[in-house]
Coordinates of all heavy atoms in Angstrom, one line a residue:
M50 N 112.8 111.0 109.9 CA 112.1 109.8 110.4 C 111.0 109.3 109.4 O 110.8 108.0 109.2 CB 111.6 110.1 111.8 CG 112.7 110.1 112.9 SD 112.1 110.1 114.6 CE 110.8 111.3 114.6
S51 N 110.3 110.2 108.8 CA 109.4 109.9 107.9 C 110.0 109.1 106.7 O 109.3 108.2 106.2 CB 108.6 111.1 107.3 OG 107.5 110.8 106.4
L52 N 111.1 109.5 106.1 CA 111.8 108.9 105.1 C 112.2 107.5 105.5 O 112.0 106.5 104.8 CB 113.0 109.6 104.8 CG 113.9 108.9 103.6 CD1 113.1 108.8 102.3 CD2 115.1 109.8 103.3
L53 N 112.7 107.4 106.8 CA 113.1 106.0 107.3 C 111.8 105.1 107.4 O 111.8 103.9 107.0 CB 113.7 106.2 108.6 CG 114.1 104.9 109.3 CD1 115.2 104.1 108.4 CD2 114.7 105.2 110.6
A54 N 110.6 105.7 107.9 CA 109.4 104.9 108.1 C 109.1 104.4 106.5 O 108.5 103.2 106.4 CB 108.4 105.8 108.7
S55 N 109.2 105.3 105.6 CA 108.9 104.9 104.4 C 109.7 103.7 103.7 O 109.2 102.9 103.1 CB 108.9 106.1 103.4 OG 108.7 105.9 102.0
M56 N 110.9 104.0 104.0 CA 112.0 103.0 103.5 C 111.8 101.6 104.1 O 112.2 100.6 103.5 CB 113.4 103.5 103.7 CG 113.6 104.7 102.8 SD 115.2 105.4 103.3 CE 116.4 104.2 102.6
T57 N 111.1 101.7 105.3 CA 111.0 100.4 106.1 C 109.6 99.9 105.9 O 109.2 98.8 106.5 CB 111.3 100.5 107.5 OG1 110.6 101.4 108.1 CG2 112.9 100.8 107.6
A58 N 108.8 100.5 105.1 CA 107.4 100.2 104.9 C 106.5 100.1 106.2 O 105.6 99.4 106.2 CB 107.2 99.0 104.0
D59 N 106.9 101.0 107.1 CA 106.2 101.1 108.3 C 105.1 102.2 108.3 O 105.4 103.4 108.7 CB 107.2 101.2 109.6 CG 106.5 101.1 110.8 OD1 105.2 101.2 111.0 OD2 107.3 100.8 111.8
T60 N 104.0 101.9 107.7 CA 103.0 103.0 107.4 C 102.4 103.5 108.6 O 102.1 104.7 108.8 CB 101.8 102.4 106.4 OG1 101.4 101.2 107.1 CG2 102.3 102.2 105.1
E61 N 102.2 102.7 109.7 CA 101.7 103.2 111.0 C 102.7 104.2 111.5 O 102.2 105.4 112.0 CB 101.4 102.0 111.9 CG 100.8 102.5 113.2 CD 100.4 101.4 114.1 OE1 100.3 100.2 113.7 OE2 100.5 101.6 115.4
W62 N 103.9 103.9 111.6 CA 104.9 104.9 112.2 C 104.9 106.2 111.2 O 104.9 107.3 111.7 CB 106.2 104.2 112.1 CG 107.3 105.1 112.7 CD1 107.3 106.0 113.7 CD2 108.6 105.1 112.4 NE1 108.4 106.5 113.9 CE2 109.4 106.0 113.2 CE3 109.5 104.3 111.5 CZ2 110.7 106.1 113.1 CZ3 110.8 104.5 111.4 CH2 111.4 105.4 112.3

Side-chain angles (χ1 to χ4, degrees):
M50 287 194 310
S51 178
L52 177 61
L53 181 59
S55 172
M56 293 170 70
T57 59
D59 191 335
T60 54
E61 185 177 328
W62 184 31

